[in-house]
């Protein structure tokens, strides 16, 4: 079980990333907003694919770079996967009805969340991914607006 304390995880390869994503997924109840922050190639979509697999999502997970959001309904928890990289203006996101997605019981994973600024709910999980080398990644997980029970 994951606590809501900040944590740092080093994954030496994709297999370890998948293991971390599986453990992380086991703590999700639905409705979480997960922000993935990292450079191009840091592993945001790779992490999302592993998370989706751990949530028993059967569809093929792809980056929603051109569609902004991909919806996956087949898992034990549904998943909305956002890629805000191409967002030029926050009004584009407002028109999409982002708040309706954020107020659902699906897990929302957002790549490039810095593009939507203050539209991000106060309660969210921030995962910063740093590429240490070709295969090794550092995940810094922060629970914003959560309280230890």
């Amino acid at each position: 079980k994951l606590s809501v304390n900040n944590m740092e995880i080093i994954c030496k390869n994709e297999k370890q990333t998948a293991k971390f994503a599986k453990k992380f997924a086991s703590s999700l109840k639905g409705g979480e907003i997960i922000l993935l922050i990292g450079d191009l190639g840091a592993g945001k979509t790779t992490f999302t694919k592993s998370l989706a697999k751990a949530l028993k999502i059967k569809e093929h997970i792809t980056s929603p770079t051109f569609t902004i959001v991909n919806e996956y309904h087949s898992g034990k928890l549904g998943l909305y996967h956002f890629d805000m990289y191409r967002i030029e203006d926050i009004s584009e996101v407002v028109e999409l009805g982002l708040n309706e997605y954020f107020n659902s019981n699906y897990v929302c994973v957002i790549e490039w969340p810095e593009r939507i600024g203050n539209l991000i709910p106060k309660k969210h999980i921030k995962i910063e991914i740093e590429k240490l080398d070709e295969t090794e990644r550092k995940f810094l997980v922060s629970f914003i607006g959560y309280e230890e029970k």
Side-chain angles (χ1 to χ4, degrees), residues 76-148:
K76 67 176 186 175
L77 295 175
L79 177 71
Y80 294 134
H81 182 200
F82 297 89
D83 185 335
M84 301 300 180
Y85 187 73
R86 298 193 177 282
I87 295 296
E88 299 289 327
D89 187 330
I90 285 184
S91 66
E92 296 174 60
V93 181
V94 173
E95 288 170 20
L96 279 174
L98 200 61
N99 290 351
E100 292 170 34
Y101 285 104
F102 289 172
N103 292 323
S104 77
N105 60 355
Y106 277 31
V107 174
C108 293
V109 174
I110 307 169
E111 297 186 29
W112 304 100
E114 55 277 15
R115 305 259 185 189
I116 61 168
N118 61 5
L119 294 179
I120 296 166
K122 299 270 184 264
K123 185 177 180 182
H124 61 269
I125 302 166
K126 179 170 72 171
I127 301 178
E128 296 171 83
I129 306 171
E130 184 182 341
K131 186 175 180 178
L132 301 177
D133 65 26
E134 281 312 305
T135 59
E136 196 170 349
R137 301 292 184 271
K138 178 167 75 174
F139 294 85
L140 185 60
V141 183
S142 306
F143 294 84
I144 314 296
Y146 284 80
E147 293 176 23
E148 192 71 68

Side-chain angles (χ1 to χ4, degrees), residues 58-73:
K58 292 167 183 51
E59 295 102 323
H60 179 66
I61 306 298
T62 58
S63 181
T65 304
F66 296 100
T67 58
I68 300 176
V69 63
N70 287 340
E71 301 181 13
Y72 303 102
H73 307 284

